[in-house]
């Protein structure tokens, strides 16, 4: 008998001739998540992925695997040669452990016979095992509708599995299956969630962060690095391109209408991000914008912002309420860091009445008052590159 972790996936099953490619990527990222534990055995069988527990800590394996994109659910299980009497013994052991640990009172047996040569059909397996449990554990009864514990029995050609827990993963697609994008990462709630959501669709991410040092503090920068590290725990290590926007903001403040500061700054961020993205082979930009949340996120403002670049801009939060974004931030562990009270570059030279319905022709006219290309090149020349592994 062997302790194993069963790992299930979802969308990958629908990938047809490309299924193996997606499975291999998922297995690769599971191995990577576990590598520093000592390389437990990870392998594919029966349209699933398994990890042999051996002498490793099963909870440590589960905690790491459930953060891997593509994983739908996880079950710690017993694996052993098919034998009905052995299955009964293992089920009894499983239920007794749960009775002692959690005080369960009711149970249900759910069986799946994948091997059609096995002499008993799935309902027959469940009935026989259920009767055996009732004969051997007095303090428990059957409840097929709302049991305290559901014990799953799987019978395959040469192997049986027994498990009673199903731990949810985040689903999605494995990283490295859908290209690469550059995330505009701030210290707020939204952008880390946006990066996480795009990563969940199999997109590798890198990040660009804009600051206004010394108007913004080193602690504000550290906050963003902390957020990057959390995102990297799901999306894998990535680089952060840190850009000082202050010289550009000073030029805008000196030469352009005050109410256009926010939208002009945003367009500069997008232009710089596009240049960095193309240089480092990113196919799109990712932002945490949501319609109407702030002045730069009205539909007209987003139109003017989009006009600054030619590559796709992904906005996974675009129609989400702030409450929903906050709930997701809490779920993935970025919220508590995001709400730390440190300023970001968007608060520098913040106009009292920012334009909410900008006209592209007026914004383009204001940009003509600036040496746009020189400002962009100077900002990139002073860029700092940080790897999340170094944080």
């Amino acid at each position: 008998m062997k302790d194993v972790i069963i790992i299930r996936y979802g969308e990958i099953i629908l990938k047809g001739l490309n299924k193996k490619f997606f499975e291999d990527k998922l297995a690769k990222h599971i191995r990577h998540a576990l590598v520093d534990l000592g390389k437990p055995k990870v392998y594919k069988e029966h349209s699933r992925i398994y990890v042999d527990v051996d002498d490793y800590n099963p909870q440590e394996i589960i905690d790491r695997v459930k953060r891997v994109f593509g994983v739908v659910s996880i079950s710690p299980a017993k694996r052993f040669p098919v034998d009905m009497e052995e299955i009964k013994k293992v089920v009894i052991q499983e239920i007794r452990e749960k009775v002692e640990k959690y005080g369960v009172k009711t149970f249900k047996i759910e069986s799946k016979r994948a091997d059609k040569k096995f002499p008993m059909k799935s309902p027959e397996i469940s009935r026989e095992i259920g009767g055996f449990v009732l004969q051997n554990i007095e303090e428990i009864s059957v409840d097929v509708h709302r049991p305290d514990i559901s014990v799953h029995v799987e019978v395959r050609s040469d192997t049986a599995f027994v498990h009673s827990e199903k731990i949810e993963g985040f689903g999605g697609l494995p990283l490295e299956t859908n290209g690469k994008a550059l995330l505009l990462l701030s210290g707020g709630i939204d952008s880390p969630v946006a990066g996480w959501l795009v990563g969940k669709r199999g997109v590798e991410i890198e990040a660009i962060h804009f600051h206004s040092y010394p108007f913004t503090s080193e602690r504000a920068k550290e906050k963003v690095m902390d957020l990057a590290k959390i995102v990297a725990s799901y999306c894998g290590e990535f680089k952060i391109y840190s850009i000082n926007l202050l010289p550009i903001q000073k030029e805008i403040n000196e030469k352009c209408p005050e109410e256009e500061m926010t939208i002009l700054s945003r367009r500069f961020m997008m232009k710089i991000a596009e240049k960095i993205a193309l240089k480092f082979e990113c196919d799109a930009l990712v932002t945490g914008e949501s319609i109407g949340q702030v002045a730069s996120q009205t539909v007209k403002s987003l139109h003017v912002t989009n006009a600054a670049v030619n590559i796709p801009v992904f906005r996974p939060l675009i129609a989400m309420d702030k409450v929903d974004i906050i709930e997701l931030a809490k779920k993935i562990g970025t919220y508590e860091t995001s709400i730390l009270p440190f300023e970001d570059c968007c608060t520098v030279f913040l106009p009292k009445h920012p334009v909410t319905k900008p006209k592209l022709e007026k914004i383009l006219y204001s940009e003509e008052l600036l040496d746009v290309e020189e400002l962009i090149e100077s900002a990139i020349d002073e860029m700092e590159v940080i790897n999340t592994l170094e944080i």
Side-chain angles (χ1 to χ4, degrees), residues 227-357:
L227 286 170
K229 194 168 184 178
I230 296 169
V231 174
S233 71
Y234 297 96
C235 297
E237 65 181 85
F238 57 85
K239 292 177 181 175
I240 306 147
Y241 305 101
S242 183
I243 300 280
N244 191 343
L245 197 65
L246 184 59
I248 293 173
Q249 290 174 303
K250 286 181 175 179
E251 283 289 299
I252 296 171
N253 184 59
E254 182 182 330
K255 297 179 179 178
C256 302
E258 178 193 4
E259 67 273 12
E260 294 178 357
M261 167 61 75
T262 302
I263 193 70
L264 285 168
S265 296
R266 193 68 184 171
R267 279 174 58 87
F268 268 98
M269 291 182 198
M270 298 294 280
K271 289 172 181 287
I272 293 169
E274 181 181 46
K275 281 187 175 290
I276 299 297
L278 295 174
K279 181 177 180 179
F280 295 103
E281 300 181 332
C282 295
D283 305 307
L285 304 179
V286 181
T287 78
E289 292 162 315
S290 173
I291 294 174
Q293 192 174 131
V294 294
S296 64
Q297 296 175 24
T298 64
V299 171
K300 288 187 179 295
S301 293
L302 292 171
H303 165 67
V304 172
T305 300
N306 262 18
V309 297
N310 294 309
I311 64 174
V313 181
F314 298 155
R315 295 181 171 94
L317 310 183
I318 194 67
M320 290 179 68
D321 292 337
K322 192 68 174 186
V323 172
D324 298 325
I325 299 169
I326 288 172
E327 284 304 308
L328 189 48
K330 289 178 179 178
K331 186 175 181 180
I332 67 175
T334 57
Y335 178 73
E336 293 299 329
T337 302
S338 290
I339 62 173
L340 292 173
F342 299 106
E343 69 288 337
D344 63 30
C345 68
C346 295
T347 63
V348 177
F349 303 117
L350 188 66
K352 290 182 179 180
H353 302 289
V355 60
T356 58
K357 296 179 180 180

Side-chain angles (χ1 to χ4, degrees), residues 33 76 194 215 365:
F215 284 28
Y365 175 79

Side-chain angles (χ1 to χ4, degrees), residues 8 74-77 90-92 94-96 98-99 102 104-112 126 129-130 133 140-154 161-167:
R8 304 176 190 86
I74 305 161
S75 293
V90 175
V91 170
I92 287 288
E94 183 75 15
I95 293 178
R96 279 183 174 151
K98 295 300 186 290
V99 168
Y102 303 113
V104 301
K105 301 294 185 183
T106 59
F107 78 100
K108 177 184 180 181
I109 305 297
E110 296 192 25
S111 302
K112 181 179 179 181
S126 294
I129 295 173
V133 171
I140 198 163
S141 60
V142 174
D143 184 342
V144 297
H145 299 295
R146 298 183 66 182
D148 294 335
I149 179 175
S150 292
V151 180
H152 297 260
V153 176
E154 300 179 23
F161 295 91
V162 172
H163 58 87
S164 62
E165 293 181 70
K166 185 175 281 188
I167 300 148

Side-chain angles (χ1 to χ4, degrees), residues 25 51 60 85 205 211 248 266:
K25 287 292 186 184
V51 181
E60 183 72 22
E85 294 307 309
I205 67 166
H211 63 87
I248 293 173
R266 193 68 184 171

